[in-house]
Amino acid sequence: MKRFNVTGTCFADRHYMVNIDERIQKIKKMVDRGDYFCINRGRQYGKTTTLHFLKKALDAEYTVFSISFEGSGDKSFESLDSLVNYFFIQLMQKCFQKDSPQINSKALKLLKQITGKSFFKIKVSEKNVDFIISDFCRLCSKPIVIIIDEVDQAGNYPSFIKFLSLLRKKYLEREENVTFHSVILAGVYDIKNLKLKIRPDENHQYNSPWNIAANFNINMALEEDGIHGMLEEYERDNRTGMDTQKMAKQIWDYTSGYPFLVSRLCQIMDEDLEKNWSDGGFLEAVKRLLNESNTLFDDIRKKLDDFPIIRRVVTSILFNGEAQTFNAYDKGIDIARMLNFIKSDNGKIAVSNRIFEIWFYNLFVSESTTSSLKSDSEIIREGSIDKPVFIRNGHLDMKKILERFCVHFNEIYDTKDEKFIERQGRKFFLFFLKPIINGTGNYYVEAETRDERRMDVVVDYAGERFVVEMKIWRGESYNERGEQQLSDYLDYYGLDCGYLLSFCFNKNKIPGIREVTVRTKRGEKNIVEAVV
């Protein structure tokens, strides 16, 4: 029986998979050119899957050795000599596996001598490894491609950096001395960050021993069309009545094509929800995914602790509405991008996908519940206490939520200054909202509306959707434009009612709730407005 792949190892006859042939062909062109390069993506981003199919695509033209230093132990990295010995032992072992690289008898004989499998052993040392690599490549009948997966662990050791420096030297001299045709490194960290682990001082952290590497700019996210093709195949086999085009769009909207998230959502709907591919089934799958503990979320949590600078970057995006320019040379931005936590969205920083954004919100709200900041924990507590008032017969009463938020906000933050409210106000509404919808719904902020003056929050609860625009009050005319913007957004979602929350610093303001009607091309929209 076919299943959705979530393991990272893919076999097309056993798993439903998005077709990645185009990606493989683009990478093969880099190999054909003789490029040395790195495939650096976040955890469970399809690196191992890609390498598996890349090897298959290369086997006809190249001798491909796909190895890993994962779990090799400290002893293998004691020196360059020990590391190179371990490297050749891995090559030797690959020659006797089921999908072994095809090498001729002369090359195999040399491998046996290098690894001590024959009587005449060649001792590998730092002095002769250069010649040994050339001899081995010369004896092989086809160009050699080396794929090294999971390089992150190896990057902790100076011997590995020396090994890369050796390969770089041979690459630069390959017109005179034969060497590996192409070398591919795969892992989470790029090579300059491996260097950072060994020489953490600022002056040396970007002096890479791999500066010969070609830029790897190939998109490894799954495209919406590819997800649709996978669902079409699934639907032909299972006939669930799913709208495959609509489902593919929903999956892509929430995951931005992050491979593990795509696979996991599909697996939940297929297996855990017994083939429930409805809109309600999808939202339930999202909820279950966000509530589970898995290796991807565990790793994200760990990275936030390891790199506090990432936490500051993500927090500023989520809560402050900061439209921060994407700058790859900013240390925090560079690390967060490398880990696939954030992306460049039209030159601005954005969280890389909606699932991650909701997960970050859930984590930060949970942490703030026990925060030493009284204002954080107090507004969360009020939302939790009032929760029974807001849920009627399983339906969310957003108008009542805004009414109560106005009351609590003015009670708790009445003495705060304008700058504090501008920075923190929208965060407090999200903190207030989270315990109310927790366990049944989720919310996220639409990236295209996120700025210092306006943020649109979309709330999904029990199959219903609510759009709440949060903005800073800039006068009546600006408010009217906000009403029109929100109405247009409601058209996009096919909704007739929306909500507008304004943070007003006018001393003569009248806090509270009112309702207005706005005309759009698709009819009249009812907008509930709250002013605090």
Side-chain angles (χ1 to χ4, degrees):
M1 180 181 71
K2 289 187 178 181
R3 299 163 66 88
F4 286 96
N5 164 58
V6 292
T7 63
T9 303
C10 304
F11 302 93
D13 60 337
R14 295 181 57 192
H15 295 285
Y16 290 106
M17 285 187 57
V18 174
N19 188 306
I20 59 172
D21 289 348
E22 183 178 353
R23 179 196 308 171
I24 297 300
Q25 288 306 309
K26 288 180 179 179
I27 302 175
K28 184 178 181 298
K29 287 182 180 179
M30 297 183 70
V31 173
D32 291 340
R33 290 196 302 263
D35 288 344
Y36 284 31
F37 57 95
C38 306
I39 300 178
N40 302 114
R41 295 296 184 272
R43 294 292 181 199
Q44 297 181 295
Y45 207 87
K47 297 184 295 296
T48 301
T49 299
T50 297
L51 295 177
H52 172 81
F53 285 104
L54 176 62
K55 183 179 183 302
K56 285 182 173 292
L58 296 174
D59 276 340
E61 301 173 47
Y62 302 95
T63 297
V64 184
F65 288 96
S66 180
I67 67 175
S68 173
F69 286 132
E70 186 177 27
S72 53
D74 293 342
K75 190 173 181 179
S76 301
F77 294 94
E78 286 179 351
S79 65
L80 179 60
D81 295 359
S82 59
L83 176 58
V84 173
N85 271 285
Y86 179 78
F87 172 77
F88 278 111
I89 288 171
Q90 284 238 42
L91 299 193
M92 182 70 179
Q93 290 173 342
K94 288 292 178 181
C95 290
F96 293 97
Q97 291 181 355
K98 185 177 180 181
D99 59 343
S100 59
Q102 298 300 309
I103 64 173
N104 57 37
S105 58
K106 291 181 179 179
L108 183 59
K109 181 179 178 181
L110 179 59
L111 262 187
K112 288 181 178 179
Q113 291 176 341
I114 294 170
T115 58
K117 300 297 182 182
S118 74
F119 182 74
F120 300 102
K121 181 179 179 182
I122 298 174
K123 181 173 177 55
V124 179
S125 68
E126 192 169 340
K127 292 181 179 179
N128 69 357
V129 65
D130 189 326
F131 303 107
I132 289 175
I133 290 176
S134 291
D135 286 344
F136 178 63
C137 293
R138 190 178 296 109
L139 291 173
C140 282
S141 54
K142 292 190 292 187
I144 297 176
V145 175
I146 302 292
I147 300 174
I148 306 178
D149 198 4
E150 303 291 349
V151 298
D152 300 321
Q153 177 182 340
N156 289 316
Y157 300 95
S159 58
F160 182 67
I161 301 302
K162 286 185 179 181
F163 180 61
L164 294 184
S165 297
L166 171 68
L167 296 181
R168 176 184 63 184
K169 174 179 176 291
K170 293 193 67 61
Y171 173 89
L172 295 173
E173 298 173 351
R174 60 182 175 174
E175 294 296 326
E176 294 80 27
N177 294 301
V178 65
T179 186
F180 303 127
H181 176 77
S182 178
V183 177
I184 304 167
L185 308 179
V188 173
Y189 294 90
D190 64 26
I191 202 64
K192 66 176 178 285
N193 293 100
L194 295 181
K195 188 74 170 176
L196 175 60
K197 294 182 179 182
I198 298 167
R199 300 177 68 183
D201 50 294
E202 293 291 328
N203 292 330
H204 298 289
Q205 65 180 15
Y206 290 112
N207 292 340
S208 171
W210 209 235
N211 55 14
I212 55 170
N215 289 330
F216 185 82
N217 297 320
I218 296 171
N219 181 20
M220 290 183 60
L222 304 179
E223 300 288 351
E224 184 179 327
D225 287 347
I227 298 171
H228 179 229
M230 177 184 66
L231 295 181
E232 284 278 277
E233 180 188 355
Y234 173 88
E235 186 60 19
R236 285 194 295 271
D237 289 345
N238 294 276
R239 300 187 182 280
T240 66
M242 172 197 352
D243 183 336
T244 55
Q245 190 77 58
K246 181 180 180 182
M247 183 56 65
K249 185 178 188 314
Q250 288 188 103
I251 291 172
W252 196 90
D253 284 347
Y254 271 75
T255 65
S256 296
Y258 199 113
F260 173 82
L261 300 177
V262 172
S263 297
R264 186 68 185 115
L265 285 174
C266 290
Q267 186 186 43
I268 292 172
M269 285 184 280
D270 175 51
E271 299 177 17
D272 300 352
L273 300 181
E274 298 180 345
K275 295 180 170 52
N276 181 357
W277 294 86
S278 65
D279 291 349
F282 173 75
L283 293 177
E284 177 65 20
V286 169
K287 185 183 76 173
R288 293 194 183 195
L289 171 59
L290 289 164
N291 287 337
E292 74 179 13
S293 175
N294 57 53
T295 54
L296 176 59
F297 293 158
D298 290 347
D299 189 68
I300 295 174
R301 185 69 177 83
K302 182 178 184 300
K303 291 299 188 295
L304 289 175
D305 291 337
D306 291 344
F307 301 100
I309 195 169
I310 297 178
R311 181 183 290 268
R312 292 196 291 273
V313 170
V314 173
T315 301
S316 69
I317 298 171
L318 296 185
F319 295 118
N320 301 342
E322 293 183 8
Q324 190 172 347
T325 301
F326 189 92
N327 181 356
Y329 289 95
D330 180 289
K331 184 177 178 181
I333 293 173
D334 182 43
I335 296 174
R337 174 209 52 78
M338 178 185 67
L339 298 172
N340 284 106
F341 292 178
I342 65 171
K343 62 184 177 182
S344 176
D345 185 12
N346 295 320
K348 304 294 182 183
I349 301 173
V351 175
S352 61
N353 61 71
R354 194 174 291 171
I355 293 290
F356 280 9
E357 179 170 319
I358 298 171
W359 189 88
F360 282 129
Y361 277 127
N362 291 348
L363 175 67
F364 295 152
V365 171
S366 176
E367 290 177 342
S368 295
T369 303
T370 56
S371 169
S372 59
L373 295 176
K374 181 180 178 182
S375 55
D376 286 358
S377 57
E378 194 168 350
I379 196 69
I380 294 171
R381 185 175 65 253
E382 294 295 349
S384 181
I385 292 172
D386 288 347
K387 180 175 180 176
V389 178
F390 307 132
I391 313 297
R392 298 182 178 181
N393 300 319
H395 295 279
L396 192 67
D397 189 337
M398 186 60 70
K399 179 180 178 180
K400 181 66 70 175
I401 289 174
L402 292 179
E403 287 177 348
R404 296 298 296 167
F405 177 73
C406 288
V407 172
H408 293 309
F409 188 88
N410 288 316
E411 288 176 349
I412 298 171
Y413 308 112
D414 187 53
T415 60
K416 299 295 184 181
D417 60 37
E418 180 175 334
K419 288 185 177 180
F420 176 86
I421 300 301
E422 280 202 54
R423 290 195 311 270
Q424 304 290 334
R426 288 170 293 197
K427 180 181 80 170
F428 292 141
F429 175 70
L430 295 175
F431 279 10
F432 181 74
L433 180 62
K434 185 57 192 174
I436 299 170
I437 64 174
N438 192 39
T440 304
N442 289 300
Y443 60 69
Y444 57 90
V445 174
E446 282 293 353
E448 62 266 26
T449 71
R450 189 197 308 275
D451 60 37
E452 281 114 2
R453 295 188 175 186
R454 176 186 174 216
M455 288 168 63
D456 285 332
V457 179
V458 181
V459 181
D460 290 322
Y461 186 89
E464 293 183 282
R465 179 160 284 166
F466 306 84
V467 177
V468 183
E469 179 178 321
M470 298 185 292
K471 65 183 184 64
I472 307 299
W473 181 273
R474 303 293 181 188
E476 190 61 47
S477 61
Y478 178 78
N479 190 66
E480 290 174 0
R481 289 198 300 273
E483 292 171 349
Q484 190 61 55
Q485 287 174 330
L486 177 57
S487 298
D488 293 340
Y489 205 52
L490 294 174
D491 276 343
Y492 172 79
Y493 274 109
L495 300 173
D496 295 323
C497 181
Y499 304 85
L500 187 60
L501 174 60
S502 297
F503 296 90
C504 179
F505 309 110
N506 190 326
K507 293 181 180 179
N508 298 321
K509 70 179 180 182
I510 303 176
I513 298 285
R514 69 172 182 173
E515 295 189 40
V516 299
T517 300
V518 178
R519 293 185 180 276
T520 71
K521 294 178 181 179
R522 299 185 183 181
E524 294 183 343
K525 303 296 180 183
N526 184 51
I527 297 179
V528 177
E529 297 188 2
V531 177
V532 295

